[in-house]
Amino acid sequence: MWTTNSVVVLLLLLFSLCGDGARAEESLPCIPRDFGHSSFVCVCNASYCDTLPPPEAPPEGAFLLYSSDMTGDRFLKSQDFFSSVGDDVSAETVELVVDPTVTYQTVVGWGGAFTDAAAANILSLSQPAQDLLLGSYFSSSGIEYNIGRVNMGGCDFSWREYTYVDTEGDVDLNTFALQPEDTEYKIPVIKRAEALAGHPLTLFASPWTAPPWMKTNDDYVGYGYLQKEMYQPWANYFVKFLDGYGAEGVTFWGVTAQNEPRDGQVPGFAFNCMGWTPLQQRAWVGGNLGPTLDAHGYGALKVMILDDQRYNLPLWAEKVLNDSFATQYVDGIAVHWYGDDYSPAGLLDDTHDLFPDHFILGTEACAGYLKDPVVLGSWERLEQYAHDIITDVNHWVVGWVDWNLALDLEGGPNWESNFVDSPIIVNQEADEFYKNPMFYALGHFSKFVKEGAVRISLTSTDLQGLSATAFTNTDGSTVVVLLNRSEADLEVAVRVAGRGTMLLKVGPRSLHTAFF
């Protein structure tokens, strides 16, 4: 029976035998492990992890295809050539038309959250394994995330309840202090991720709650709002946070006004929250947060409202952004995915049409939040991720940010036991980590569709269960992503204006990225 270590040794031996013919940019393959679910994970440890070097431009008239499927492939690379085929395809062929001259939104990027739990799990591994995990997300041999979300103070994926000013009545914030969760966990991990990426990350911060003494219910959790007399101290708290991270060498691109403001309107809500109505958020952003950020040199920071489910749209945006004073301080609308199964994507179109100058960014998603927190090797969760990303971007969303970068085998730590799944699961005892299929779902976008890319037209009369989207990068390369959630083999013809036709055999339960 092959063990992980024996496979690693064999692979390393094979690469060494290639001598000068083995190039540094060649990818290292997945080492699969089956945990008895629909697919498998890829196992990484202190000495080995699968990689995906940046794609090189294919020869004239050719395209690259990267494929992952339920039964065996992860980023399997192949090359083929455009065909000049006309309309003589079979009646069963799925025909797609890509028109790069018709353009939509500009991409901000892709990423995940540097939560307390994620940072602790990463740091629980040996140093070499930590580097390989962070490199899997952020380096040029990984899937090249460019966005990171950071919890401002404690959240449910912390191991305790805390804020930065838990001193009762300290309205001047004299006792404000970053916590060990920041200085010993998140900040060091963020800085290492940026070093591996070779550039600063697009970071944004989100608060879960103000200090209890600032709130109407004097608690971290449950039904409660920010007291009106605390509007300005709470805005000052944001500046203190930004200054504190800045002093540690970490700079933010944006903030959200509140994580899931609807949670704090729910009696008995179980973990860190604070309630806002859209009118309250409008008053605070326009009267306190925006002017305070401007006054302290943070006027360029991207401020996002909502940071909650899209079923709140477009009403939430209308209530905030139809106020001329508040809207001047707001750049974007942040949405989560948890209600997407019962709220139509057309709500995103409606919101964009009303406020085309404000971007819409997907800021949180995870699987396993209803039941079965960690399912190692779940292909269904890859399909949920990929389908949601394609749906979102086809309806004006500029990027998609996953929740925890890494969790443990239970789906934590989480002080409230609100365990969920993650694209990477850490096994501290074995000093290894597992790349779930969800990791590859994200990589099919983040590796190839770069910041600044523009979504382009992709149309079809009958997708036959296929999901698809297309982009043009700033370097002129084009990316087409295809998801087949059906059990059928599909013949697909992708007609690209000015290029020709890609004739593809898209296998069942598979995800593909074409690059040219």
Side-chain angles (χ1 to χ4, degrees):
M1 178 178 177
W2 287 99
T3 66
T4 298
N5 286 336
S6 62
V7 174
V8 169
V9 171
L10 177 60
L11 287 169
L12 293 175
L13 177 61
L14 289 173
F15 279 106
S16 69
L17 290 174
C18 291
D20 293 337
R23 301 186 304 166
E25 63 269 29
E26 290 295 330
S27 62
L28 297 177
C30 163
I31 296 177
R33 184 178 298 170
D34 188 346
F35 283 90
H37 299 115
S38 53
S39 191
F40 56 87
V41 301
C42 296
V43 181
C44 300
N45 55 30
S47 60
Y48 185 89
C49 198
D50 56 299
T51 60
L52 181 63
E56 296 180 353
E60 184 69 25
F63 62 90
L64 301 178
L65 188 67
Y66 292 82
S67 301
S68 300
D69 63 32
M70 187 168 68
T71 58
D73 294 334
R74 295 292 182 266
F75 294 141
L76 178 67
K77 179 182 174 182
S78 61
Q79 179 180 293
D80 205 344
F81 287 85
F82 283 92
S83 168
S84 58
V85 66
D87 297 323
D88 55 345
V89 294
S90 70
E92 292 76 28
T93 299
V94 181
E95 295 189 65
L96 309 176
V97 177
V98 175
D99 187 350
T101 67
V102 180
T103 59
Y104 301 94
Q105 76 272 29
T106 299
V107 170
V108 171
W110 322 91
F114 292 93
T115 60
D116 300 355
N121 280 305
I122 293 167
L123 294 175
S124 74
L125 295 166
S126 66
Q127 182 88 23
Q130 294 173 29
D131 291 339
L132 288 175
L133 191 158
L134 288 169
S136 293
Y137 276 129
F138 297 101
S139 77
S140 61
S141 63
I143 60 174
E144 298 190 58
Y145 273 7
N146 71 301
I147 299 181
R149 188 185 189 205
V150 181
N151 53 292
M152 185 190 301
C155 67
D156 52 321
F157 281 91
S158 304
W159 41 89
R160 65 185 179 105
E161 297 173 279
Y162 71 94
T163 71
Y164 299 126
V165 188
D166 282 331
T167 304
E168 184 83 23
D170 182 12
V171 294
D172 294 326
L173 310 184
N174 292 322
T175 59
F176 183 101
L178 296 182
Q179 296 298 296
E181 287 85 346
D182 303 284
T183 57
E184 297 176 19
Y185 291 88
K186 288 180 291 189
I187 289 173
V189 170
I190 290 168
K191 292 170 81 168
R192 286 171 61 185
E194 291 188 324
L196 285 164
H199 56 79
L201 297 175
T202 300
L203 298 172
F204 68 94
S206 301
W208 265 245
T209 182
W213 55 269
M214 288 189 182
K215 296 169 63 179
T216 58
N217 65 337
D218 194 28
D219 202 345
Y220 297 97
V221 303
Y223 181 93
Y225 296 84
L226 187 69
Q227 299 175 43
K228 287 187 177 179
E229 58 267 32
M230 296 298 167
Y231 274 25
Q232 188 55 45
W234 182 231
N236 296 339
Y237 184 104
F238 275 63
V239 170
K240 288 277 195 178
F241 171 83
L242 295 166
D243 286 348
Y245 266 69
E248 297 286 340
V250 175
T251 302
F252 283 88
W253 165 84
V255 294
T256 69
Q258 170 67 41
N259 175 74
E260 297 187 351
R262 291 294 194 193
D263 291 351
Q265 300 178 36
V266 178
F269 193 82
F271 59 82
N272 322 51
C273 62
M274 184 163 69
W276 295 86
T277 67
L279 294 181
Q280 289 170 336
Q281 191 168 87
R282 181 179 79 186
W284 178 67
V285 170
N288 304 97
L289 180 64
T292 301
L293 292 174
D294 275 358
H296 289 83
Y298 294 110
L301 200 73
K302 305 296 183 186
V303 174
M304 292 171 275
I305 59 168
L306 188 57
D307 208 13
D308 210 327
Q309 317 315 318
R310 74 180 181 208
Y311 52 67
N312 294 286
L313 295 174
L315 182 61
W316 192 285
E318 290 180 286
K319 293 287 187 182
V320 176
L321 299 180
N322 280 335
D323 177 82
S324 59
F325 191 66
T327 194
Q328 67 181 311
Y329 296 113
V330 178
D331 300 276
I333 302 156
V335 293
H336 294 186
W337 89 323
Y338 302 103
D340 287 4
D341 286 345
Y342 46 90
S343 54
L347 296 174
L348 301 170
D349 296 327
D350 296 341
T351 304
H352 168 79
D353 291 345
L354 288 167
F355 306 104
D357 295 329
H358 291 78
F359 64 80
I360 306 171
L361 178 65
T363 52
E364 185 181 314
C366 68
Y369 56 92
L370 295 176
K371 63 177 183 177
D372 302 326
V374 175
V375 181
L376 291 170
S378 170
W379 187 259
E380 291 79 9
R381 290 179 176 182
L382 172 145
E383 292 175 332
Q384 291 165 7
Y385 267 44
H387 183 259
D388 196 78
I389 295 170
I390 290 171
T391 300
D392 274 3
V393 298
N394 283 345
H395 294 273
W396 295 102
V397 171
V398 300
W400 207 87
V401 183
D402 187 39
W403 193 203
N404 300 274
L405 288 168
L407 292 174
D408 62 24
L409 292 166
E410 189 177 27
N414 184 294
W415 72 266
E416 217 284 314
S417 299
N418 182 36
F419 303 125
V420 301
D421 213 343
S422 174
I424 289 182
I425 295 295
V426 169
N427 183 342
Q428 178 184 359
E429 184 176 346
D431 195 33
E432 60 187 20
F433 59 93
Y434 312 127
K435 293 181 179 178
N436 262 319
M438 290 178 289
F439 174 89
Y440 300 91
L442 281 154
H444 272 273
F445 297 88
S446 62
K447 185 68 180 184
F448 306 97
V449 182
K450 312 311 292 183
E451 179 182 5
V454 176
R455 182 170 68 89
I456 57 177
S457 174
L458 185 150
T459 57
S460 176
T461 56
D462 182 10
L463 284 168
Q464 297 183 32
L466 199 69
S467 303
T469 191
F471 304 85
T472 297
N473 285 309
T474 56
D475 64 2
S477 59
T478 299
V479 179
V480 180
V481 184
L482 307 168
L483 171 67
N484 181 13
R485 292 186 293 168
S486 78
E487 300 289 349
D489 284 297
L490 298 177
E491 300 286 340
V492 180
V494 184
R495 305 185 191 280
V496 184
R499 294 273 189 168
T501 301
M502 293 188 290
L503 297 176
L504 308 174
K505 293 184 184 296
V506 177
R509 312 292 294 274
S510 62
L511 178 61
H512 308 264
T513 299
F515 178 87
F516 52 91

